[in-house]
Amino acid sequence: MSSEGDYTNFKYSNDCLKLINNTFKKFLDVDSINYQIELKRSLEKIGLFFDLDRIYIYYFSKDPTFMQIECQWNNENIRSKREIEEEEVVYTLPWLIREIKNSDFIAINSIEELPAEAVFETEVFLSEGIKSSLIVPLKSKSKLIGFIGFESLSKHITWQEEQINILIDISKAFLHTKLRISKEKLYESTLDGQLILLNNSESQIWALSNVTSYATVNEAHAKFFGKKKRELEYQDLYDIFDIETANKLSENNWELFEKNELAEKELEIKNYKGEIRLLKIKSKPYRDEEGNIKYLICTAEDITEQRKAEMELYKAKEQAEAANIAKSQFLANMSHEIRTPMNGIFGFLELLQSTNLSLEQKEFIREAKAASEVLLHIINDILDFSKIEARKLTMENIEFNLRNTIEDAVSLLAPKAAEKGVEIYTMIKPGVPEEVVGDPARLSQILNNLISNAVKFTECGEISITADCLGEENGIAMLDFQVNDTGIGICKEHINTIFQSFSQGDASTTRKYGGTGLGLAISNELVKMMGGEIHVESILGEGSTFKFNVRLKVTKKSLKQKFAFEKLDGVNILIVDGNTNNREIVSSYLQGTGFKAFEAKDGTSAITTILKNANTENKINIAIINYKMSDMNGYELATTLRTIPFAKNIKLILLTSVTQKGEAKVAKEYGFSSYLCKPVRRDDLLSCIAMTLGLKKENEEEHEAITKHIVKEVNKSLKPRILLVEDNEMNRKIVISMLKSRNMDCDIAVDGSEALKAVSEKDYDVVFMDCQMPVMDGYECTSKIRLIEEAKKHTTIIAMTANAMDGDLEKCIESGMDEYISKPINFDTMFKMIEANIKECNEVTDYNNIIENNINYFVENTGLKKEDAKEILEEYIKYLPDLLEDINNAIDNSNFHKLEELVHELKGSSGNLRIISIYELAIKLEEAVLKQEMDECIRFFGKIKDLLC
Ligand code: ADP
């Protein structure tokens, strides 16, 4: 062991400097592969030079609580610091680590110098036999990353400043090299990573230095052409590929270079197998400092399979669409084909019914008609369902009267309910808008489905239909409908499936009640299309409530409530009905009219109410009496009231569920001014009250309940000019016969061209136009008629078609038709349409027979010459139509004063001219007018009109 102070000369030792110089010259330049060997060599040289026993270098791991020896050297006969170089925990040397963090070195000359707190370190000194130690921290940017230990085990060293400084410098050199090598390793591994990515990528990547030369390529690109990377890199395309491929590639490269920016292109090119593949190439220029393209970097994906799949998908989609079109066309044809014979069946059954038949035969026809109706219903359901499936069902967006739509739907089924003795009523709550925009036909369909189910499944009790408005936002009303019945109800197991197609209650229900199980599925879809939801609540054996809501746009017209008369105060109305709901409905319909409503549940309490209020401001003026009551019927109550002086003058209105022929007459005999059928419509109710009070003003729009059908009778005698355009002989026969049954006839055209001729020669009130016809179809014919007419006139043309597919209505309207009636024809609708289109001038034509029938009698009675008599009679028939028209208007307006004047005039003139038939009826009419008996007035006026036709 050498003595202390041996190193004092190091500072100036040339040998020392030489050693350091030689050692580090080589070491500092070392590469990563030789780093460990050179490092060890350097440690050895340093150790031997400084006469040390061990040198070791620790570096901290990524996780700084661990460290590991990077390199160690030990002198001969000295144990290495660590047998195995593995990660060690840092906290085994806590004092040392703390110290080196804050100092440039720690020099320990002997174990005694270690402070008391360096417990672990002292233990290391003892266990390893360390005599002296110099620890130099290794710091990168002031962060401790490791340390070097210089140790002596054989002798004590008193560390000198110069020696320490030299070892610190040497440590720095080690640190520097370590950092450089780490950086290089990192760089290499990054490069390696990129190469891995590049060469293992499925995408092809390459860089072009010009249009025909590659710079570099990845494996995938080289492999595509069956080549090695180096066969392509820095090569000219024409040296690598056949001329065709080289041409294709250079042409493609040219276009990409031309773009001079990001570009995308598809290229069909042969791969090494000779298969033509489709590549989707994306290119991006890589520029030098001047902005010139240095390389064009390209990537490519092979999209051959993807494109094939897309093409197949496209083809499949086209085929599916074609199949869908074919399907809807098939549906249209089928519907046409089925409806045409159905039209025949319906029409002829109806005609047959009006012939002389035995009771049994009548019953057979009734059954046949009922069966046909069911069949038509099923066909319609299946058709609708198919349309929904094919997504061919669209919603109309037209203005309609919501109240009428609801009430019409209820009225349609009211007779069936009445037949079963089931009470049916409608409650349209205040706040429900009158005029809305939407699809009235589809809304009716939903209501019809629900109400007809309610009627079908209810044997006793009642059915109520309620409409309410839940709110309005941005002009859209949320409307809530409920159809409530007291029928058989639905069991829990079935309640969740009834909105599914073809789903019915249990099998016994199906057998007993029939049906397709489609109605609710269709309703469900329709409700959804109207922006709402449908659901049901039901208790088996007690009844069901179907609720649905829809969103409908409210029109401006809806905002003002329209009544048939001005608001009226001081009129008190008593509603007599055993059913609370009915009383409530009637009473709610009177709200806002100014009328005061009183309610009584039966005849006795009605009489009590009348008497109690007799001499007060609540004196009852009108009593609306339900026919059926618990203590007496409506007629009995009316009879009783007529015997009570206070009640004698109360106007009576009868409410009844059944309308039979002659009902009006009987009601009249019992003293009722009018009668109303249940379920009551608000407007009918108000018009009826207005008429009863004699409130109708001239030129007011009509809503009469009673008068309306009688006025219709009057109109029946008019001769409308109708043109029927129909190629099918059977259909023609039916329509002609139906018209004949109402004393009407029509001209016939068998195709569009005949119709065109007919319309240009004669004025028609209405033209019923079939759509599908040979030679010229209905659409073309209508367009031509509209062209001829220009703005000068407008003939009403009504489409008659068996096509029930979506878009038919639009097609009709587009071609210029006014309305649409679908086959099988509902003749009631047809007659309504005719009636609505009869022009007034009709009446003149038929009056000439008056002259013929009466001239002889006139001449005989007056002694006038025949020519003079004829002249006078001609004058008469010239003014007669106007007079009759005025009388008609006065009846419509219940204007008895005017009526008296006009009828007196008719009586006078017909009497003067000895037209006895008219004269006698005019006398009776005048009597009725004086008695203000409107029913009678209408009856006699009708008779007069009948005479004139
Ligand atoms: P269907 O043509 O069979 O009436 P729907 O779809 O209209 O078809 O109704 C499906 C089933 O739902 C019916 O068969 C019946 O079992 C049940 N259902 C519908 N409405 C009612 C109701 N108001 N009361 C009891 N059951 C009903």
Side-chain angles (χ1 to χ4, degrees), residues 453-454 456-457 485 488-490 498 503-505 509 514-521 544 546:
N453 275 347
K456 185 157 90 171
F457 295 111
D485 67 55
I488 60 169
I490 305 161
I498 55 168
S503 164
Q504 297 185 306
T509 313
T516 56
L518 282 176
L520 289 177
S544 316
F546 283 83

